[in-house]
Amino acid sequence: HIDCSDLDHMVVSSAYGKMRSRGFKETRNYKNGDHIIIAWYNNSTKQCVKTTEKNGKILSVNMNSDQCR
């Protein structure tokens, strides 16, 4: 299990770089109003994490998402 809660309120370019370096791959992304939601999946840990972005910053990190597939 990889903790990604440190990405909360981080600038998205840094946060997404950290997600990739931790072995996560983007599996889905969609817009909800002015929010961009991305689902990330880590094949090694079978972990699904959802990030919500607004205005270039991470608003929230959902560590237990089931929306990766």
Side-chain angles (χ1 to χ4, degrees):
H1 181 268
I2 299 167
D3 184 18
C4 298
S5 59
D6 61 321
L7 306 180
D8 217 3
H9 304 303
M10 192 177 279
V11 174
V12 294
S13 56
S14 299
Y16 297 161
K18 284 184 183 285
M19 288 298 285
R20 290 184 185 97
S21 72
R22 293 173 184 178
F24 288 88
K25 288 190 170 40
E26 188 178 319
T27 59
R28 295 179 65 206
N29 74 56
Y30 56 95
K31 286 190 92 151
N32 184 357
D34 55 358
H35 295 81
I36 298 170
I37 295 138
I38 299 180
W40 301 84
Y41 189 72
N42 185 311
N43 232 5
S44 302
T45 62
K46 307 295 185 226
Q47 192 176 353
C48 180
V49 173
K50 184 173 76 173
T51 57
T52 303
E53 156 195 346
K54 182 180 177 184
N55 297 330
K57 289 218 170 172
I58 299 296
L59 276 187
S60 68
V61 179
N62 178 347
M63 297 293 299
N64 298 306
S65 180
D66 58 1
Q67 298 181 351
C68 281
R69 296 181 184 270

